[in-house]
Amino acid sequence: HIMKKNKTPRDSMYKRVPFQQFRGFTLIELLVTLAVLAILIAIAVPSMSGVLERRKVHGAGEKLFADLMYAKTEAIKRNSTVTVSFTGNDSTWCYGIADDGAACDCTATDCTVDGVLKVTNQDDFPGVTVIADSTLDGGSTSFTPLRGAANGGNLQFSVPIGAELGVVVSSVGRVRMCSADFDFDACP
């Protein structure tokens, strides 16, 4: 007399499946996929480097714009003159903000607001240079407490691919960005 074994739900989980149902990728399919991927990367890398360069110059311009606006608002808030000093040109440049109303040396440690160092330089934006015809390089602009008026000028940044972006300060203290390469009015 042969006893039949009762099947449990666990037994049905471990059914044998024929080998052909566990197929993966062949070596040829994998190599073709890698070749297509390599071609796509080779096409995308040069265009991405241009995008990154444009982002660097845009970032430098946005930082200068924000710092000039900060200096203007600090002058109005404190009811005293705040100065933004610029040094250098081409690939070696820096600027700093001082709340004592005097020009400061951004290569030293005297550009401070409330004792906090406020300096930006070329190390913050590698590859970004200052264009030689900028009127603020090697000088300064001071914002007065009276409506934030300032002595005007501009500073223009560029990158090796040719993208340029500038920041302009008017005599009434208006700060704006300018560029023919981005979505701004042209620089003066």
Side-chain angles (χ1 to χ4, degrees):
H1 191 263
I2 300 176
M3 289 180 78
K4 283 188 176 179
K5 183 177 175 186
N6 290 337
K7 288 190 175 186
T8 64
R10 184 178 175 157
D11 293 336
S12 62
M13 286 186 347
Y14 297 107
K15 286 195 318 185
R16 293 194 178 243
V17 179
F19 181 71
Q20 286 84 10
Q21 291 183 0
F22 288 112
R23 291 191 43 159
F25 294 110
T26 65
L27 182 59
I28 300 293
E29 291 170 330
L30 186 60
L31 290 175
V32 167
T33 303
L34 288 175
V36 168
L37 185 61
I39 291 169
L40 291 175
I41 289 173
I43 291 170
V45 167
S47 65
M48 282 303 293
S49 66
V51 169
L52 294 176
E53 290 292 309
R54 288 175 55 86
R55 288 300 314 148
K56 280 184 196 177
V57 75
H58 197 270
E62 285 180 337
K63 175 81 167 102
L64 176 58
F65 176 85
D67 286 341
L68 288 167
M69 291 301 294
Y70 171 75
K72 178 181 176 178
T73 57
E74 283 295 307
I76 295 168
K77 179 181 92 171
R78 295 167 182 274
N79 198 28
S80 65
T81 301
V82 175
T83 303
V84 181
S85 300
F86 304 89
T87 302
N89 56 33
D90 200 34
S91 61
T92 304
W93 55 270
C94 66
Y95 67 87
I97 305 171
D99 61 0
D100 61 2
C104 63
D105 181 4
C106 56
T107 61
T109 58
D110 61 340
C111 295
T112 61
V113 176
D114 290 332
V116 177
L117 187 64
K118 295 286 187 181
V119 172
T120 300
N121 63 32
Q122 73 278 349
D123 295 335
D124 298 323
F125 300 96
V128 175
T129 60
V130 171
I131 296 174
D133 63 350
S134 296
T135 59
L136 290 177
D137 61 333
S140 65
T141 188
S142 297
F143 291 94
T144 65
L146 182 63
R147 295 186 195 107
N151 50 326
N154 72 68
L155 189 78
Q156 292 180 293
F157 295 110
S158 70
V159 287
I161 64 166
E164 297 177 0
L165 188 129
V167 179
V168 178
V169 181
S170 72
S171 60
V172 293
R174 179 176 179 238
V175 181
R176 69 178 180 90
M177 294 173 64
C178 63
S179 175
D181 298 315
F182 295 91
D183 197 20
F184 299 109
D185 292 337
C187 293

Coordinates of all heavy atoms in Angstrom, one line a residue, residues 2-94:
I2 N 0.8 2.1 -1.0 CA 1.6 3.3 -1.1 C 0.8 4.5 -0.6 O -0.3 4.7 -1.0 CB 2.0 3.5 -2.6 CG1 2.8 2.3 -3.0 CG2 2.8 4.8 -2.7 CD1 3.2 2.4 -4.5
M3 N 1.5 5.3 0.2 CA 0.8 6.4 0.8 C 1.2 7.6 -0.1 O 2.4 7.8 -0.5 CB 1.3 6.7 2.2 CG 0.8 5.7 3.2 SD 1.3 6.0 4.8 CE 0.3 7.3 5.3
K4 N 0.2 8.4 -0.4 CA 0.5 9.6 -1.1 C 0.8 10.8 -0.1 O 0.2 10.9 0.9 CB -0.8 10.1 -1.9 CG -1.0 9.3 -3.1 CD -2.1 9.9 -3.9 CE -2.3 9.2 -5.2 NZ -3.4 9.8 -5.9
K5 N 1.8 11.5 -0.5 CA 2.3 12.6 0.3 C 1.4 13.8 0.0 O 1.2 14.1 -1.2 CB 3.7 12.9 0.0 CG 4.3 14.0 0.9 CD 5.7 14.2 0.5 CE 6.2 15.4 1.3 NZ 7.6 15.8 1.0
N6 N 0.9 14.4 1.0 CA 0.1 15.6 0.8 C 1.0 16.8 0.4 O 2.0 17.0 1.0 CB -0.7 16.0 2.1 CG -1.8 15.0 2.4 OD1 -2.3 14.3 1.5 ND2 -2.2 14.9 3.7
K7 N 0.6 17.5 -0.6 CA 1.3 18.6 -1.1 C 1.0 19.9 -0.2 O -0.2 20.1 0.0 CB 1.1 19.0 -2.5 CG 1.7 18.0 -3.4 CD 1.6 18.5 -4.9 CE 2.3 17.5 -5.7 NZ 2.4 18.0 -7.1
T8 N 2.0 20.5 0.2 CA 1.8 21.8 1.0 C 2.0 23.0 0.1 O 2.7 22.8 -1.0 CB 2.8 21.8 2.2 OG1 4.1 21.9 1.6 CG2 2.6 20.6 3.1
P9 N 1.6 24.1 0.4 CA 1.8 25.3 -0.4 C 3.3 25.6 -0.5 O 3.8 26.1 -1.5 CB 1.2 26.5 0.4 CG 0.2 25.8 1.3 CD 0.7 24.4 1.6
R10 N 4.1 25.2 0.4 CA 5.6 25.4 0.3 C 6.2 24.5 -0.8 O 7.1 25.0 -1.5 CB 6.2 25.0 1.7 CG 7.6 25.2 1.7 CD 8.2 24.9 3.0 NE 9.6 25.0 3.0 CZ 10.4 25.3 4.0 NH1 9.9 25.3 5.2 NH2 11.7 25.4 3.8
D11 N 5.6 23.3 -1.0 CA 6.2 22.5 -2.1 C 6.0 23.1 -3.5 O 6.8 23.0 -4.4 CB 5.5 21.1 -2.1 CG 5.8 20.3 -0.8 OD1 6.9 20.6 -0.3 OD2 5.1 19.5 -0.4
S12 N 4.9 23.9 -3.7 CA 4.6 24.5 -5.0 C 5.6 25.7 -5.2 O 5.8 26.0 -6.4 CB 3.2 24.9 -5.1 OG 2.9 25.9 -4.2
M13 N 6.1 26.2 -4.2 CA 7.0 27.4 -4.4 C 8.4 26.9 -5.0 O 9.1 27.7 -5.6 CB 7.3 28.1 -3.0 CG 6.1 28.9 -2.6 SD 6.4 29.9 -1.1 CE 7.9 29.3 -0.3
Y14 N 8.7 25.7 -4.7 CA 10.0 25.2 -5.2 C 9.9 24.3 -6.4 O 10.7 23.4 -6.5 CB 10.7 24.5 -4.0 CG 11.0 25.4 -2.8 CD1 10.3 25.3 -1.7 CD2 12.0 26.3 -2.9 CE1 10.5 26.1 -0.6 CE2 12.3 27.2 -1.9 CZ 11.5 27.1 -0.7 OH 11.8 27.9 0.3
K15 N 9.0 24.6 -7.3 CA 8.9 23.8 -8.5 C 10.2 24.0 -9.3 O 10.7 25.1 -9.4 CB 7.7 24.2 -9.3 CG 6.4 23.7 -8.7 CD 5.3 23.8 -9.7 CE 5.2 25.0 -10.5 NZ 4.0 25.1 -11.3
R16 N 10.6 23.0 -10.0 CA 11.7 23.2 -10.9 C 11.3 23.8 -12.2 O 10.2 23.5 -12.7 CB 12.3 21.8 -11.2 CG 12.9 21.2 -10.0 CD 13.8 20.0 -10.4 NE 14.4 19.5 -9.2 CZ 15.7 19.5 -9.1 NH1 16.5 19.9 -10.0 NH2 16.2 19.0 -8.0
V17 N 12.1 24.8 -12.6 CA 11.8 25.5 -13.8 C 12.9 25.2 -14.8 O 14.0 25.1 -14.5 CB 11.8 27.1 -13.5 CG1 11.5 27.8 -14.8 CG2 10.9 27.4 -12.4
P18 N 12.5 24.9 -16.1 CA 13.5 24.5 -17.1 C 14.5 25.6 -17.2 O 14.3 26.8 -17.0 CB 12.7 24.4 -18.4 CG 11.3 24.3 -17.9 CD 11.1 24.9 -16.6
F19 N 15.8 25.2 -17.6 CA 16.9 26.1 -17.6 C 16.7 27.2 -18.6 O 17.2 28.3 -18.4 CB 18.2 25.3 -18.0 CG 19.4 26.1 -18.1 CD1 20.0 26.6 -17.0 CD2 20.0 26.4 -19.3 CE1 21.1 27.4 -17.1 CE2 21.1 27.2 -19.4 CZ 21.7 27.7 -18.3
Q20 N 16.0 27.0 -19.7 CA 15.8 28.0 -20.8 C 15.1 29.3 -20.3 O 15.2 30.3 -20.9 CB 15.1 27.5 -22.0 CG 15.9 26.5 -22.8 CD 15.9 25.1 -22.3 OE1 15.1 24.8 -21.4 NE2 16.8 24.3 -22.8
Q21 N 14.3 29.2 -19.2 CA 13.6 30.4 -18.7 C 14.5 31.3 -18.0 O 14.0 32.4 -17.6 CB 12.4 29.9 -17.9 CG 11.4 29.2 -18.7 CD 10.2 28.8 -17.8 OE1 10.2 29.1 -16.6 NE2 9.2 28.2 -18.4
F22 N 15.7 31.0 -17.6 CA 16.6 31.9 -16.9 C 17.7 32.5 -17.7 O 18.8 32.6 -17.4 CB 17.3 31.1 -15.7 CG 16.3 30.7 -14.6 CD1 16.0 29.4 -14.4 CD2 15.8 31.7 -13.8 CE1 15.2 29.1 -13.3 CE2 15.0 31.4 -12.8 CZ 14.6 30.1 -12.5
R23 N 17.3 32.9 -18.9 CA 18.2 33.5 -19.8 C 18.6 34.9 -19.4 O 17.8 35.7 -18.9 CB 17.7 33.6 -21.2 CG 17.5 32.2 -21.8 CD 17.2 32.3 -23.2 NE 18.1 33.3 -23.8 CZ 18.4 33.3 -25.1 NH1 17.9 32.5 -25.9 NH2 19.1 34.3 -25.6
G24 N 19.9 35.3 -19.7 CA 20.3 36.7 -19.4 C 20.8 37.3 -20.7 O 20.2 37.0 -21.7
F25 N 21.7 38.2 -20.6 CA 22.2 38.9 -21.8 C 23.4 38.1 -22.3 O 24.2 37.6 -21.6 CB 22.7 40.3 -21.5 CG 21.5 41.2 -21.1 CD1 21.4 41.7 -19.8 CD2 20.6 41.6 -22.0 CE1 20.4 42.5 -19.4 CE2 19.6 42.5 -21.7 CZ 19.5 42.9 -20.3
T26 N 23.5 38.1 -23.6 CA 24.7 37.4 -24.2 C 25.8 38.4 -24.2 O 25.6 39.7 -24.1 CB 24.4 37.0 -25.7 OG1 24.2 38.1 -26.5 CG2 23.2 36.0 -25.8
L27 N 27.0 38.0 -24.4 CA 28.2 38.8 -24.5 C 28.0 39.8 -25.6 O 28.4 41.0 -25.5 CB 29.4 38.0 -24.6 CG 30.7 38.8 -24.6 CD1 30.9 39.6 -23.3 CD2 31.9 37.9 -24.8
I28 N 27.6 39.4 -26.7 CA 27.4 40.3 -27.9 C 26.4 41.4 -27.6 O 26.7 42.6 -27.9 CB 26.9 39.5 -29.1 CG1 27.9 38.4 -29.5 CG2 26.6 40.4 -30.3 CD1 29.2 39.0 -30.0
E29 N 25.3 41.1 -27.0 CA 24.3 42.1 -26.6 C 24.9 43.1 -25.6 O 24.7 44.3 -25.8 CB 23.0 41.5 -26.0 CG 22.2 40.6 -27.0 CD 21.1 39.8 -26.3 OE1 21.3 39.4 -25.1 OE2 20.1 39.6 -26.9
L30 N 25.6 42.7 -24.7 CA 26.3 43.5 -23.7 C 27.3 44.5 -24.4 O 27.3 45.7 -24.1 CB 26.9 42.7 -22.6 CG 27.5 43.5 -21.4 CD1 26.4 44.3 -20.7 CD2 28.2 42.5 -20.5
L31 N 28.1 43.9 -25.3 CA 29.1 44.8 -26.0 C 28.5 45.8 -26.9 O 28.9 46.9 -26.9 CB 30.0 43.9 -26.8 CG 31.0 43.0 -25.9 CD1 31.8 42.1 -26.8 CD2 31.9 43.9 -25.1
V32 N 27.4 45.5 -27.6 CA 26.7 46.4 -28.4 C 26.1 47.5 -27.6 O 26.2 48.7 -27.9 CB 25.6 45.7 -29.3 CG1 24.7 46.7 -29.9 CG2 26.2 44.8 -30.3
T33 N 25.5 47.2 -26.4 CA 24.9 48.2 -25.5 C 26.0 49.1 -25.0 O 25.8 50.4 -25.0 CB 24.2 47.5 -24.3 OG1 23.2 46.6 -24.9 CG2 23.6 48.5 -23.4
L34 N 27.2 48.6 -24.6 CA 28.3 49.4 -24.1 C 28.8 50.3 -25.2 O 29.2 51.5 -25.0 CB 29.4 48.6 -23.6 CG 29.0 47.9 -22.2 CD1 30.2 47.0 -21.8 CD2 28.8 48.9 -21.2
A35 N 28.9 49.8 -26.5 CA 29.4 50.7 -27.6 C 28.4 51.8 -27.9 O 28.9 53.0 -28.1 CB 29.5 49.8 -28.8
V36 N 27.1 51.6 -27.8 CA 26.1 52.7 -28.1 C 26.2 53.7 -26.9 O 26.2 54.9 -27.2 CB 24.7 52.1 -28.2 CG1 23.7 53.2 -28.1 CG2 24.6 51.3 -29.4
L37 N 26.4 53.2 -25.7 CA 26.5 54.1 -24.6 C 27.8 55.0 -24.7 O 27.7 56.2 -24.4 CB 26.5 53.3 -23.3 CG 26.5 54.1 -22.0 CD1 25.3 54.9 -21.8 CD2 26.6 53.1 -20.8
A38 N 28.9 54.4 -25.1 CA 30.1 55.1 -25.2 C 30.0 56.2 -26.3 O 30.5 57.3 -26.1 CB 31.3 54.2 -25.6
I39 N 29.3 55.9 -27.4 CA 29.1 56.9 -28.5 C 28.3 58.1 -27.9 O 28.6 59.2 -28.2 CB 28.5 56.2 -29.7 CG1 29.5 55.3 -30.4 CG2 27.9 57.3 -30.7 CD1 28.9 54.4 -31.4
L40 N 27.2 57.8 -27.2 CA 26.3 58.8 -26.7 C 27.1 59.7 -25.7 O 27.0 60.9 -25.7 CB 25.1 58.2 -26.0 CG 24.1 57.6 -26.9 CD1 23.0 56.9 -26.1 CD2 23.5 58.6 -27.8
I41 N 28.0 59.1 -24.9 CA 28.8 59.9 -23.9 C 29.8 60.8 -24.6 O 30.0 61.9 -24.3 CB 29.5 59.0 -22.9 CG1 28.4 58.4 -21.9 CG2 30.5 59.7 -22.1 CD1 29.0 57.3 -21.0
A42 N 30.4 60.2 -25.7 CA 31.4 61.0 -26.5 C 30.7 62.2 -27.1 O 31.3 63.2 -27.3 CB 32.0 60.1 -27.5
I43 N 29.4 62.1 -27.5 CA 28.7 63.2 -28.1 C 28.3 64.2 -27.1 O 28.4 65.4 -27.3 CB 27.5 62.7 -28.9 CG1 27.9 61.9 -30.1 CG2 26.6 63.8 -29.3 CD1 26.8 61.1 -30.8
A44 N 27.9 63.8 -25.9 CA 27.4 64.7 -24.8 C 28.5 65.4 -24.1 O 28.2 66.6 -23.7 CB 26.6 63.8 -23.9
V45 N 29.7 64.9 -23.9 CA 30.7 65.5 -23.0 C 31.1 66.9 -23.6 O 31.1 67.8 -22.8 CB 31.9 64.6 -22.9 CG1 33.1 65.3 -22.3 CG2 31.5 63.4 -21.9
P46 N 31.4 67.1 -24.8 CA 31.8 68.4 -25.3 C 30.7 69.5 -25.1 O 31.0 70.6 -24.6 CB 32.1 68.3 -26.8 CG 32.4 66.8 -26.9 CD 31.6 66.1 -25.9
S47 N 29.5 69.1 -25.3 CA 28.4 70.1 -25.1 C 28.2 70.4 -23.6 O 27.8 71.5 -23.2 CB 27.1 69.6 -25.7 OG 26.6 68.5 -25.1
M48 N 28.4 69.4 -22.7 CA 28.3 69.6 -21.3 C 29.4 70.5 -20.8 O 29.1 71.3 -19.9 CB 28.3 68.3 -20.6 CG 27.0 67.5 -20.6 SD 25.6 68.4 -20.0 CE 26.0 68.5 -18.3
S49 N 30.6 70.5 -21.3 CA 31.6 71.4 -20.8 C 31.3 72.8 -21.1 O 31.6 73.7 -20.3 CB 33.0 71.0 -21.4 OG 33.0 71.2 -22.8
G50 N 30.7 73.1 -22.2 CA 30.2 74.5 -22.5 C 29.1 74.9 -21.6 O 29.2 76.1 -21.1
V51 N 28.2 74.1 -21.2 CA 27.2 74.4 -20.2 C 27.8 74.7 -18.9 O 27.5 75.7 -18.2 CB 26.2 73.2 -20.1 CG1 25.2 73.5 -19.0 CG2 25.4 73.1 -21.4
L52 N 28.8 73.9 -18.5 CA 29.4 74.1 -17.2 C 30.2 75.4 -17.2 O 30.2 76.2 -16.2 CB 30.4 72.9 -16.9 CG 29.7 71.6 -16.6 CD1 30.7 70.5 -16.4 CD2 28.7 71.7 -15.4
E53 N 30.9 75.8 -18.3 CA 31.6 77.1 -18.3 C 30.6 78.2 -18.2 O 30.9 79.2 -17.5 CB 32.4 77.1 -19.6 CG 33.6 76.2 -19.7 CD 34.7 76.6 -18.7 OE1 35.1 77.8 -18.7 OE2 35.1 75.7 -18.0
R54 N 29.5 78.1 -18.9 CA 28.5 79.2 -18.9 C 27.9 79.3 -17.5 O 27.7 80.4 -17.0 CB 27.4 78.9 -19.9 CG 27.8 79.2 -21.3 CD 26.7 78.8 -22.3 NE 25.4 79.5 -22.1 CZ 25.1 80.7 -22.6 NH1 26.0 81.3 -23.3 NH2 23.9 81.2 -22.3
R55 N 27.8 78.2 -16.8 CA 27.2 78.2 -15.4 C 28.3 78.9 -14.4 O 27.9 79.6 -13.5 CB 26.9 76.8 -14.9 CG 25.7 76.2 -15.5 CD 24.4 77.0 -15.2 NE 24.2 77.4 -13.9 CZ 23.5 78.5 -13.5 NH1 23.0 79.3 -14.4 NH2 23.4 78.9 -12.3
K56 N 29.6 78.7 -14.7 CA 30.6 79.3 -13.8 C 30.5 80.8 -14.0 O 30.5 81.5 -13.0 CB 32.0 78.8 -14.3 CG 32.4 77.5 -13.7 CD 33.8 77.3 -14.2 CE 34.2 75.8 -14.1 NZ 35.6 75.6 -14.5
V57 N 30.5 81.4 -15.2 CA 30.5 82.8 -15.4 C 29.2 83.4 -14.9 O 29.2 84.5 -14.3 CB 30.8 83.2 -16.8 CG1 29.6 83.0 -17.7 CG2 31.2 84.7 -16.9
H58 N 28.1 82.7 -15.0 CA 26.8 83.1 -14.5 C 26.8 83.2 -13.0 O 26.3 84.1 -12.4 CB 25.7 82.2 -15.1 CG 24.3 82.9 -14.9 ND1 23.5 82.7 -13.8 CD2 23.6 83.6 -15.8 CE1 22.4 83.4 -14.0 NE2 22.4 83.9 -15.2
G59 N 27.4 82.1 -12.4 CA 27.5 82.1 -10.9 C 28.4 83.2 -10.4 O 28.0 83.8 -9.4
A60 N 29.5 83.6 -11.0 CA 30.3 84.7 -10.6 C 29.6 86.0 -10.7 O 29.6 86.8 -9.8 CB 31.6 84.7 -11.4
G61 N 28.8 86.2 -11.8 CA 28.0 87.4 -11.9 C 26.9 87.5 -10.9 O 26.7 88.6 -10.3
E62 N 26.2 86.4 -10.6 CA 25.2 86.4 -9.6 C 25.7 86.7 -8.2 O 25.1 87.4 -7.4 CB 24.4 85.0 -9.6 CG 23.5 84.8 -10.8 CD 22.8 83.5 -10.8 OE1 23.3 82.6 -10.1 OE2 21.7 83.4 -11.4
K63 N 26.9 86.1 -7.9 CA 27.5 86.4 -6.6 C 27.9 87.8 -6.5 O 27.6 88.4 -5.4 CB 28.8 85.5 -6.5 CG 29.6 85.7 -5.2 CD 28.9 85.0 -4.0 CE 29.9 84.9 -2.9 NZ 29.6 85.9 -1.8
L64 N 28.5 88.4 -7.5 CA 28.8 89.9 -7.4 C 27.6 90.7 -7.3 O 27.5 91.6 -6.5 CB 29.6 90.3 -8.6 CG 30.0 91.8 -8.7 CD1 30.8 92.2 -7.5 CD2 30.7 92.1 -10.0
F65 N 26.5 90.4 -8.1 CA 25.3 91.1 -8.0 C 24.7 91.0 -6.6 O 24.3 92.1 -6.0 CB 24.3 90.5 -9.0 CG 22.9 91.1 -8.9 CD1 22.6 92.3 -9.6 CD2 21.9 90.5 -8.2 CE1 21.3 92.8 -9.5 CE2 20.6 91.1 -8.1 CZ 20.3 92.2 -8.8
A66 N 24.7 89.8 -6.0 CA 24.1 89.7 -4.6 C 25.0 90.4 -3.6 O 24.4 91.0 -2.7 CB 24.1 88.2 -4.3
D67 N 26.3 90.4 -3.8 CA 27.2 91.1 -2.8 C 27.0 92.6 -2.9 O 27.0 93.3 -1.9 CB 28.6 90.7 -3.0 CG 28.9 89.3 -2.5 OD1 28.1 88.8 -1.7 OD2 29.9 88.7 -2.9
L68 N 26.8 93.1 -4.1 CA 26.6 94.6 -4.3 C 25.3 95.0 -3.7 O 25.2 96.0 -3.0 CB 26.7 95.0 -5.8 CG 28.1 94.9 -6.4 CD1 28.0 95.0 -7.9 CD2 29.0 96.1 -5.8
M69 N 24.3 94.1 -3.9 CA 22.9 94.4 -3.3 C 23.0 94.4 -1.7 O 22.4 95.2 -1.0 CB 21.9 93.5 -3.8 CG 21.5 93.7 -5.3 SD 20.9 95.3 -5.6 CE 19.4 95.3 -4.7
Y70 N 23.8 93.4 -1.2 CA 24.0 93.3 0.2 C 24.7 94.6 0.7 O 24.3 95.1 1.8 CB 24.9 92.1 0.5 CG 25.3 92.0 1.9 CD1 24.4 91.6 2.9 CD2 26.6 92.2 2.3 CE1 24.9 91.5 4.2 CE2 27.1 92.1 3.6 CZ 26.2 91.8 4.6 OH 26.6 91.7 5.9
A71 N 25.7 95.0 0.0 CA 26.4 96.3 0.5 C 25.5 97.5 0.5 O 25.5 98.3 1.4 CB 27.6 96.5 -0.4
K72 N 24.6 97.5 -0.6 CA 23.7 98.7 -0.6 C 22.7 98.6 0.5 O 22.5 99.7 1.2 CB 23.0 98.6 -2.0 CG 21.9 99.6 -2.2 CD 21.2 99.5 -3.5 CE 20.1 100.5 -3.7 NZ 19.5 100.3 -5.0
T73 N 22.1 97.5 0.8 CA 21.2 97.4 1.9 C 21.8 97.6 3.3 O 21.2 98.2 4.1 CB 20.4 96.0 1.9 OG1 21.4 95.0 2.0 CG2 19.6 95.9 0.7
E74 N 23.1 97.1 3.4 CA 23.8 97.4 4.7 C 24.1 98.9 4.9 O 24.0 99.4 6.0 CB 25.1 96.6 4.7 CG 25.0 95.1 5.0 CD 24.4 94.8 6.4 OE1 25.0 95.3 7.4 OE2 23.4 94.1 6.4
A75 N 24.4 99.6 3.8 CA 24.6 101.0 3.9 C 23.3 101.8 4.4 O 23.4 102.6 5.3 CB 25.1 101.6 2.6
I76 N 22.2 101.4 3.8 CA 20.9 102.0 4.2 C 20.6 101.6 5.6 O 20.2 102.5 6.4 CB 19.8 101.6 3.2 CG1 20.1 102.2 1.8 CG2 18.5 102.1 3.7 CD1 19.3 101.6 0.7
K77 N 20.7 100.3 6.0 CA 20.4 99.8 7.3 C 21.2 100.5 8.4 O 20.7 100.9 9.4 CB 20.5 98.3 7.3 CG 20.2 97.7 8.7 CD 20.4 96.2 8.6 CE 21.8 95.9 9.0 NZ 22.1 94.5 9.2
R78 N 22.5 100.6 8.1 CA 23.5 101.1 9.1 C 23.5 102.6 9.2 O 24.1 103.2 10.1 CB 24.9 100.6 8.8 CG 25.0 99.1 9.0 CD 26.4 98.7 8.3 NE 26.5 97.3 8.4 CZ 27.0 96.6 9.5 NH1 27.4 97.3 10.5 NH2 27.1 95.3 9.5
N79 N 23.0 103.3 8.1 CA 23.1 104.7 8.0 C 24.6 105.1 7.9 O 25.0 106.1 8.5 CB 22.3 105.4 9.1 CG 22.0 106.9 8.7 OD1 21.9 107.2 7.5 ND2 21.9 107.8 9.6
S80 N 25.4 104.3 7.2 CA 26.8 104.7 7.0 C 27.2 104.1 5.7 O 26.6 103.1 5.2 CB 27.6 104.1 8.2 OG 27.6 102.7 8.2
T81 N 28.3 104.6 5.2 CA 28.8 104.1 3.9 C 29.4 102.7 4.0 O 30.1 102.4 4.9 CB 29.9 105.1 3.4 OG1 29.3 106.4 3.3 CG2 30.5 104.7 2.0
V82 N 29.1 101.9 3.0 CA 29.7 100.6 2.9 C 30.4 100.5 1.5 O 29.8 100.9 0.5 CB 28.6 99.5 3.0 CG1 29.2 98.1 2.7 CG2 27.9 99.5 4.3
T83 N 31.6 100.0 1.5 CA 32.4 100.0 0.3 C 32.7 98.6 -0.2 O 33.0 97.7 0.6 CB 33.8 100.7 0.6 OG1 33.5 102.0 1.1 CG2 34.7 100.8 -0.7
V84 N 32.7 98.4 -1.5 CA 33.0 97.2 -2.2 C 34.3 97.5 -3.0 O 34.3 98.3 -3.9 CB 31.9 96.6 -3.1 CG1 32.4 95.3 -3.7 CG2 30.6 96.4 -2.3
S85 N 35.4 96.8 -2.6 CA 36.7 97.1 -3.3 C 37.1 95.9 -4.2 O 36.9 94.8 -3.8 CB 37.8 97.2 -2.2 OG 37.5 98.3 -1.3
F86 N 37.6 96.3 -5.3 CA 38.0 95.3 -6.4 C 39.5 95.4 -6.6 O 40.1 96.5 -6.6 CB 37.3 95.6 -7.7 CG 35.8 95.6 -7.5 CD1 35.1 96.8 -7.2 CD2 35.1 94.5 -7.7 CE1 33.8 96.8 -7.1 CE2 33.7 94.5 -7.6 CZ 33.1 95.7 -7.2
T87 N 40.2 94.3 -6.8 CA 41.6 94.2 -7.1 C 41.9 93.2 -8.2 O 41.2 92.1 -8.2 CB 42.4 93.8 -5.8 OG1 42.1 94.7 -4.8 CG2 43.9 93.7 -6.0
G88 N 42.8 93.6 -9.0 CA 43.2 92.6 -10.1 C 42.4 92.7 -11.3 O 41.4 93.4 -11.4
N89 N 42.8 91.9 -12.3 CA 42.1 91.7 -13.5 C 42.6 90.4 -14.2 O 43.4 89.7 -13.6 CB 42.3 92.9 -14.5 CG 43.7 93.2 -14.8 OD1 44.5 92.3 -14.9 ND2 44.0 94.4 -15.0
D90 N 42.0 90.1 -15.3 CA 42.3 88.8 -16.0 C 42.0 87.6 -15.1 O 40.9 87.5 -14.5 CB 43.7 88.8 -16.5 CG 43.9 87.8 -17.6 OD1 42.9 87.6 -18.4 OD2 45.0 87.2 -17.7
S91 N 42.9 86.7 -14.8 CA 42.6 85.5 -14.1 C 42.9 85.6 -12.6 O 42.6 84.7 -11.8 CB 43.4 84.3 -14.6 OG 44.8 84.6 -14.5
T92 N 43.5 86.8 -12.1 CA 43.8 87.0 -10.7 C 43.0 88.2 -10.2 O 43.3 89.3 -10.6 CB 45.3 87.2 -10.5 OG1 46.0 86.1 -11.0 CG2 45.5 87.3 -9.0
W93 N 41.9 87.9 -9.5 CA 41.0 89.0 -9.1 C 40.4 88.7 -7.8 O 40.3 87.5 -7.3 CB 39.9 89.2 -10.1 CG 39.1 88.0 -10.5 CD1 39.4 87.1 -11.5 CD2 37.9 87.6 -9.8 NE1 38.4 86.1 -11.5 CE2 37.5 86.4 -10.5 CE3 37.2 88.0 -8.8 CZ2 36.4 85.6 -10.1 CZ3 36.0 87.3 -8.4 CH2 35.7 86.1 -9.1
C94 N 39.9 89.7 -7.1 CA 39.1 89.5 -5.9 C 38.4 90.8 -5.6 O 38.6 91.8 -6.1 CB 40.0 89.2 -4.7 SG 41.2 90.4 -4.2

